[in-house]
Amino acid sequence: MELFVSEGNPHCLKVLAALEVTGVQCSVQYVNHEERVVPFLSRPTLPALILPGGLHLFSSNAICRYLFEVSGQESSELCNQWLEWEATDLQPALLQALYMAVLQGKGSEVSTVLQGPLNFLDQSLSKGGTPYLTGEAVSVADVVLWAALYPVLSDSSQALGEHKSVNGWFDRVASVHSCLSAAQKVLQGKGLQGMKSYMQRQPAPQSSQGRNTQPCNCNPA
Amino acid sequence: MALRELSSLEKYLGLKKPNKYSTQGDKKVPVLQNNNGPPLLGLATIACHLVKEAKRPELLGDTAESRAVVQQWLEYRVTKLDSCAKEDIKIILKDLNLYLQDKVYLAGNRFTVADTLMYYGIHPLIVDLAVQEKEHCVGCSEQLSVSPRVRDQSEAPISPTTTTVDAAGQRE
């Protein structure tokens, strides 16, 4: 089993955190952003995990889920739901926020972009009444969401605004030592600037309006 | 669209009692009202729940590896296919075609729920393609429309020519 990651790539932070938290044995290779590890994908995609059977995993959430499962923690339906929400709702907003903060110097507008997803997360945490997203212990959902939010939230405390429950949860997950050590590996202690070369290679995020008005398959013939 | 898929999936799984669904937000994220607990959100999450309810866990993959691959393609469906720009369609089909070249199904040799949801997601894209272009994507179109591989198994595939009624009873 071999894991390929690149420095400054926020998705790699997720898988490295999951690897450290689960303690799964796996060799890790640092490559550059342009390396095409997954042979069937036209665009370079990292992180990538080559499974024992030779299949490739190229989704960071699927990799994290797999690492938790082989360490004996199968993900619950609530975990699945958080991972899906992270991919479909949080990621588009985060990409836009990172683009603004890292490349456009508009760090002050980050909190506006993240308002919606952070409200949702905050409400769910305060309604759930448990220290972590899916219960009393850290699950794959906590690790994935924490790692996704870490670059933005650790850089600017104002991005969090009045989200007290998110704040408490974020600090609780950060106190799991292995999470912070993964963040150090990916960002090299440079904060958001550590992601600059990665962000420069990403297509400019579409505005959320454009995404909703022209999805290509909302129109069955 | 998503609700219609879920209702087709229920039929395929042989679930007798249809579930109650609603949608949430601008993106019309499906929500399953659950009597035994809080509602479930999201197409992929609900699809996996239905498979478990029908006691067909093999459709989620029979090893840790195949389960990971199934989840990956479910995520691909709801992130890449559901919001793709027109110019990305060809890249997506080309990638899938290459991936499927040496495989029978997305997770290898066994049919899974990833095939069902990817089928529903790609169908409208394939229908839009000109015939000539389809020939460049033999693997995909074979899996999706010509070969009985997926069609037979997903009993009620969404046909572009017939109007179906979704779980909420609305014509789409």
Side-chain angles (χ1 to χ4, degrees):
Chain A
M1 200 157 73
E2 203 160 8
L3 180 65
F4 293 84
V5 293
S6 65
E7 266 174 25
N9 175 332
H11 303 288
C12 294
L13 207 169
K14 293 186 201 169
V15 297
L16 288 176
L19 194 62
E20 301 235 354
V21 170
T22 57
V24 171
Q25 292 296 314
C26 173
S27 79
V28 179
Q29 281 212 37
Y30 284 81
V31 294
N32 67 46
H33 301 305
E34 301 299 317
E35 189 95 8
R36 279 188 55 193
V37 179
V38 186
F40 53 89
L41 293 181
S42 311
R43 292 183 181 139
T45 305
L46 289 166
L49 179 71
I50 304 180
L51 291 168
L55 284 170
H56 290 80
L57 289 184
F58 56 86
S59 135
S60 52
N61 289 6
I63 294 173
C64 292
R65 222 175 165 279
Y66 175 74
L67 293 172
F68 271 80
E69 184 173 337
V70 293
S71 75
Q73 300 174 59
E74 223 171 302
S75 66
S76 63
E77 276 182 349
L78 195 51
C79 272
N80 285 348
Q81 178 172 299
W82 277 116
L83 295 185
E84 183 173 356
W85 177 80
E86 194 274 341
T88 55
D89 286 56
L90 182 60
Q91 275 304 328
L94 268 178
L95 185 65
Q96 206 182 341
L98 287 173
Y99 197 82
M100 290 166 95
V102 179
L103 297 183
Q104 299 180 316
K106 293 189 198 158
S108 53
E109 290 170 40
V110 162
S111 57
T112 321
V113 178
L114 290 179
Q115 188 77 17
L118 285 180
N119 284 347
F120 179 79
L121 186 58
D122 202 63
Q123 282 159 15
S124 307
L125 280 163
S126 63
K127 243 193 312 187
T130 53
Y132 299 102
L133 286 171
T134 59
E136 299 294 326
V138 171
S139 72
V140 61
D142 295 293
V143 173
V144 164
L145 265 80
W146 178 87
L149 286 164
Y150 180 82
V152 174
L153 296 192
S154 62
D155 190 75
S156 116
S157 51
Q158 64 174 28
L160 257 178
E162 286 298 293
H163 300 97
K164 289 209 180 88
S165 303
V166 178
N167 204 0
W169 164 83
F170 187 74
D171 290 343
R172 267 193 295 282
V173 183
S175 68
V176 179
H177 174 70
S178 30
C179 283
L180 281 178
S181 102
Q184 172 64 23
K185 280 181 189 160
V186 173
L187 300 178
Q188 300 283 304
K190 294 182 219 152
L192 285 180
Q193 285 314 306
M195 292 169 48
K196 196 164 182 179
S197 74
Y198 170 80
M199 288 308 295
Q200 281 167 337
R201 287 171 173 80
Q202 304 309 304
Q206 300 152 299
S207 75
S208 55
Q209 208 180 6
R211 283 168 52 85
N212 291 336
T213 47
Q214 295 175 314
C216 56
N217 62 349
C218 69
N219 243 347
Chain B
M1 181 72 185
L3 297 189
R4 204 165 50 158
E5 276 176 57
L6 289 170
S7 125
S8 294
L9 183 62
E10 283 181 358
K11 276 183 214 146
Y12 165 64
L13 291 168
L15 289 171
K16 293 282 183 309
K17 235 172 73 191
N19 286 292
K20 283 204 186 86
Y21 300 101
S22 55
T23 58
Q24 183 175 296
D26 301 339
K27 287 195 259 173
K28 298 224 158 85
V29 178
V31 180
L32 169 65
Q33 306 300 333
N34 191 344
N35 293 334
N36 310 320
L40 275 184
L41 260 82
L43 179 64
T45 303
I46 297 174
C48 294
H49 169 80
L50 294 179
V51 169
K52 276 187 197 151
E53 202 180 1
K55 302 204 167 50
R56 297 282 304 277
E58 75 282 3
L59 290 175
L60 297 174
D62 45 14
T63 60
E65 284 75 25
S66 61
R67 277 190 286 278
V69 172
V70 167
Q71 291 300 323
Q72 162 163 288
W73 289 109
L74 292 178
E75 182 188 318
Y76 190 90
R77 158 65 210 269
V78 292
T79 55
K80 298 283 194 291
L81 296 187
D82 285 359
S83 58
C84 75
K86 272 260 185 295
E87 60 269 23
D88 288 337
I89 297 180
K90 279 188 193 166
I91 297 176
I92 288 174
L93 292 177
K94 185 173 151 253
D95 289 359
L96 272 173
N97 194 52
L98 193 58
Y99 176 73
L100 285 168
Q101 231 166 26
D102 58 352
K103 289 175 193 68
V104 188
Y105 297 111
L106 285 168
N109 290 324
R110 293 192 67 164
F111 180 81
T112 64
V113 69
D115 295 290
T116 314
L117 258 65
M118 284 290 285
Y119 175 89
Y120 290 150
I122 294 173
H123 202 246
L125 310 188
I126 294 267
V127 170
D128 281 349
L129 278 186
V131 176
Q132 203 187 355
E133 289 180 67
K134 272 183 206 167
E135 283 166 8
H136 292 288
C137 295
V138 182
C140 292
S141 30
E142 198 188 281
Q143 195 209 5
L144 289 160
S145 50
V146 184
S147 150
R149 285 198 304 235
V150 172
R151 263 206 123 94
D152 283 359
Q153 308 232 22
S154 53
E155 192 186 302
I158 293 170
S159 155
T161 52
T162 53
T163 309
T164 37
V165 174
D166 70 16
Q170 290 163 337
R171 273 173 185 276
E172 288 197 356

